[in-house]
Every structure is written in C-alpha cells, then in structure tokens.
Amino acid sequence: MEILIATIVRGVGIGSTYALIAVGFVIIYRATDVVNFAQPALVILGAYFNALFVFNYGLPFPLAVVGSMAAMALIGALTERVALRPMVGQPPFSAAMVTVGLFFALYVLAARLIGSNVITMGDPWGLSRVEFLGTTVGQVDIAKTIISLTAIAVVGVFLQRSKLGLAMRATALDQEVALAQGVNVGRMFGVSWAMSGALAALAGVMIGTAGGGMVALDAFVALKALPVIILGGLDSIKGSVVAGIFIGVAEALTRTYQPGNADFLGANFDVVVPYLIMVIALMVRPYGLYGTKEVQRV
Amino acid sequence: MLAMENLEVVYEDVILVLKGISLSVPEGSIVALLGANGAGKTTVLRAITGLLDVHRGKITKGTITLDGKPIHHMDAPATVAAGIGQVMEGRRTFTEFTVDENLRIGAHTADRGTVEANLDRIYTLFPRLAERRKQVAGYLSGGEQQMCVIGRALMAEPRYLLLDEPSLGLAPLIVQQIRDLIVAINEQGTSVLLVEQNANMALAIASHGYVLETGKVVMDKPAAVLREDDDVREFYLGLREEGAASFRDVKHYKRRKRWLS
Ligand SMILES: Nc1ncnc2c1ncn2[C@@H]1O[C@H](COP(=O)(O)OP(=O)(O)OP(=O)(O)O)[C@@H](O)[C@H]1O
Ligand SMILES: [Mg+2]
C-alpha cells in the first residue's frame, strides 16, 4: 500500500511535468496549427539557463526559475519570428518539418552548452521527504505537482479571462476574422511561442530536479509530452492535464510493478509505456480524449 | 470621406478582379454597393480593410483615402484603428465564443475604458443579444448572429462601417429589422458602405448607389434615381423573378482560409 501511494505520487509529479510541456504544444498548435516538435529542446535549454543562473550568477532558485522562463520566452518568440513566420501560408506539415529541424538545431546547441555534464537546478527540495497518507514521499514530487498544475491553471485563466487571451483564442478560431477585429495575428503567434517557451523552461527545471540531475539527453523525457497530446487531444489544455497525469502514473506503476510481475516484457519497459498508450489512443480515439474531432493531424 | 480612386486589384498575381474602381462614402451617409455574384463587391471591402493579402490579392493601381490620407498600404489592424469597421460576408461569428466574448473581441483596438459603455449601447440596440449574452454564439439564429457581428464591429466605435451582404439568407422580417438597425446606427453618427444583392433594401435607405459589374462601376447615381432605373429594376429589384434567386446558387469560389492552412 505504501509503495503504491509513493509510486502514484511520483507518477503524478512527473505526469504534471508532462502536462506542462503538453500545454506548450497545445498553445502553439491552437494558434498556428503547427505541432512544435522543437518543444523538448526548449525544455532542456530552459533547464540549462536555470542551472546557469543559479550556479554561475548566484541567483536564488526562485529568481533563477523566473529568469530562465523569461529567457526562454524571448528565445521562443525569436524562433517564431525568424523560423516560423515565413512559413505562414504554407501547409502545416511544412511548418512542422521546420520545427523538427529546429529541434535538432536547438538540441545540438543545448548539448554543446551542457556538454557531458550532469546539471542540477539548485532547488530547495533535493531528496527530502514528507509525510503523506501514512507514508513518506519525495518533497520534489509534491512540489512538481503543485508548481506545474498552478502554472497550467494560470495559463488557463489568462486565456479565458484576459483581453490578450481572448485575442489569442480568436486567432486560433479564425485568423481572418481576428485580423478584421484589429488583432495583430502575427503578434499572437509570437506571444504563443513566448508562453510555450516559458512553460518549457519551467518544465525543464521540474525535470532537472530529479535526484540524479539531468543531462542533455533528457530532451527525450520531454518528448513524452507527445503521447500526452495525442491522448489528451492536440487542442485541449484539459486533455493535456488528464493525459499527462494518466501517462505519468501509468509509467510509474509500470516501473514499480512490472519487474518481478511481468519480467518477460524486459527491462526498462516503463519507458515504452507512454508510446504504447499513444498507439492505442491513435487507434481508438484519434482526436484524443478532449480534442476537437475534425482536428487534422500532421 | 472614405474614397477609392481608380482602384485595380489582382488575385494570385494574375486574376484582375477590380478594373479601375472609383467610389466615395461621404461622412454621415449610407452608400449602397450593388452587383451580382462575382462582381467584386467583397474585393472592394477587402481592399479597404487590408484583408487582401489573406486572399493572395494585391492592389496594383489606384488609391484609397480616408479624409484625404492614403490608407491602401495599411494592414487590417491599422485600418480598424483608423476607424473603419466591417461586417464580413457570411457573418463569421466566433461560434465557440459567447455573445459577450464576440462583442468584446470587437473592442480589441478600443480603449479599455470604452468597453462597458459600448457593451451597454449594443445590448440596448439589440435586446435579443442581451438576453443571450452568456450563450455560445454558434447556437444563435442567423438573424441574431448577424446582429452579433454588427455589434462586434460597433465595439471599436468605427467612423465608417462596411457591411457585406447583411441580409443574405435572412427572412424578410429579419431583413427589415437589420435595415432599421443600419439606419439607427447611421443616425448615431456612423457612415455606412452597404454591399448588397438585395437592392430593394439597400436603395431604400441609401442616399447614393453604385452598381458593380465584373470589376467595373457601371452606374454611379443617387439612390432615388437607381430605384427608378429600368435596368436596376429588372436585374436587382426582383421584377425579373429568376434573377436574384438563381444567382445565389452559383457562388463560384469557395472561401478558403488560405492564410491559415
Ligand atoms: N482569393 C481569390 N483568389 C482568386 N480569385 C478570387 C478570390 N476571391 C475572389 N476571387 C474572384 O474575384 C471575383 C470577385 O469576387 P468577390 O468575392 O469580390 O465578388 P462579390 O461581388 O463579393 O460576389 P458575391 O456576391 O458572390 O459575394 C470573382 O470572380 C471571384 O471568383
Ligand atoms: Mg461577396
């Protein structure tokens, strides 16, 4: 029982992080119809900035997080302006291919910057544990959950309530009509990328708080947001949250219980679980749990 | 005064659609722009509101001026800010937004301070919308949606309002209501350029009218004169019955959201 609770808490923690990355995908997809495959590279780049701010510039952790989010917002907006804006009017598939190129470019950049080092985030949680439902769980897992879900909630309220959020949603629904209302559609694209960049940085920090720190290759942890958006629906923030937590928990449960119970599946089977869920989702419900039906895939 | 001088518009770099159009909307007036399907009426409005590039169109000659200042190089947000509002063909409500949100997005370029007062003004003008302000706009009737998008355009307090076939697909009674609303809006100080195939309705309230045919202005006369004109009576006032009705069915290009996909 205690193991189960600890496992679920760990799953919810990492799942919330997946959700955070997935929301970044969703924001850009809704604004521009493009699946941004560069998102995982933005995630580790964000973690790199956080480590840089903490260890090279001596910033306290919370300030470093805000700083890396701001830096990645800027990089996100710049990337959109330079690489994606010229693609406006081209098929979404071509634009998605540009983001694949961007992924490799940014990944190589991040890998160069991080080198072969393991980076840590300078977070206050480390390995400390707290009492939870009669067992002890990692403080960091609770922190991840609270921070990620809060960030997502802030994004949701911003989109739903603010004037800029309304303009972003209008752009997502019908760009020409948004233009006719005086919305600067190009700027909305930029804002979407900036928001995704900031969320990516936050997610990078969350991934980097893992016990062993993180390496450049952890971009592939971030890539698990892909199964999340397929399961949740490309255009649904709610879907990202539900699917993110579902996949995080499924992965954690597999890691805990598969060895010893289903050894024939091989070692590290948990790594495959998100993709297995993705394949099943694609077969059973191709537009995802909460996605819009006619959403077209690239 | 909103004026267009000798305007040429080309789509896809080769399709010449407007062939030297001149027209003007004096301050405070209602001007009607009539013409059959494909005459170029919507293109005229796109040229004024900076929406041509979304459709791969370009102004290749001529000028558009607002109070003497050229505006034909402006993008869409700039024309809205300059005081030109529009109601697009086919209504184009944000169907997933509530009525309230549809109106608020219309105030995107307006000062924050004006939003609540304008909402009040519009809900007074359209009591039917007030009752449905929290409802999703997609569930409104056609007439209500038309009112919703007219209200949306008014939120920016435009000096000039361009309306593209507001009567399209609406029952006669609703068309009458829309007509009265246009008059009311005009009386509150907004000049109107009214694009219509329903010449009856348009000429009843306009002071001046233009008739467009394959990209050229073929008539440019006071509305009272056009109402009496034999050709206009025959083609647009329904005296030759098949006319207007069958034209409707031959929308020959399907609107594509080119810029988006
Ligand atoms: N994006 C486009 N690309 C190519 N041709 C276009 C485009 N948009 C319109 N056209 C053509 O330009 C001409 C004028 O079209 P426009 O939509 O301005 O006419 P309209 O008078 O508004 O017609 P309707 O009454 O059907 O709305 C038509 O022949 C149409 O086929
Ligand atoms: Mg038209």
Side-chain angles (χ1 to χ4, degrees), chain A residues 163 167 170-171 174-188, chain B residues 49 51 75-82 84-86 88 94 105-110 152-153 156:
Chain A
K163 181 176 166 181
T171 304
D174 189 331
Q175 290 175 5
E176 188 184 8
V177 181
L179 268 175
Q181 310 313 312
V183 175
N184 185 330
V185 164
R187 190 176 303 152
M188 295 308 121
Chain B
T49 55
L51 285 177
D75 62 6
T79 63
V80 177
I84 298 174
Q86 67 172 323
M88 295 161 87
F94 289 109
I105 188 69
H108 186 76
T109 56
R152 183 172 73 187

Side-chain angles (χ1 to χ4, degrees), chain A residues 32-33 88-92 160 163-164 166-167 169-171 173-186 188-189, chain B residues 46 51 54-56 76-77 80 86 88 92 94 96-97 101 104-110 112 152-153 255 257-261:
Chain A
T32 63
D33 283 354
V88 165
Q90 307 294 324
Q160 206 57 40
K163 181 176 166 181
L164 189 57
L166 183 67
R169 285 189 292 140
T171 304
L173 290 177
D174 189 331
Q175 290 175 5
E176 188 184 8
V177 181
L179 268 175
Q181 310 313 312
V183 175
N184 185 330
V185 164
M188 295 308 121
F189 296 165
Chain B
R46 282 179 190 152
L51 285 177
V54 179
H55 298 270
R56 296 178 196 266
V80 177
Q86 67 172 323
M88 295 161 87
R92 313 281 289 270
F94 289 109
E96 294 171 32
F97 280 10
E101 287 174 325
R104 281 175 192 278
I105 188 69
H108 186 76
T109 56
R112 271 166 207 269
R152 183 172 73 187
R255 187 185 348 267
K257 296 195 292 174
R258 285 164 187 282
W259 209 44
L260 344 172
S261 52

Side-chain angles (χ1 to χ4, degrees), chain B residues 10-12 15-18 34-46 52 54-57 89 164-165 168 195-197 212 215 247-248 250-256 258:
Chain B
V10 169
Y11 282 115
E12 313 274 356
I15 313 168
L16 180 65
V17 169
L18 299 188
L34 310 175
N37 283 117
K41 307 179 296 296
T42 299
T43 305
V44 167
L45 300 193
R46 282 179 190 152
L52 278 177
V54 179
H55 298 270
R56 296 178 196 266
E89 186 173 22
D164 199 345
E165 303 199 38
L168 190 72
V195 166
E196 265 300 343
Q197 295 201 34
L212 217 59
F247 272 134
R248 287 256 180 282
V250 291
K251 277 256 172 199
H252 35 44
Y253 90 98
K254 186 176 167 298
R255 187 185 348 267
R256 297 229 322 252
R258 285 164 187 282

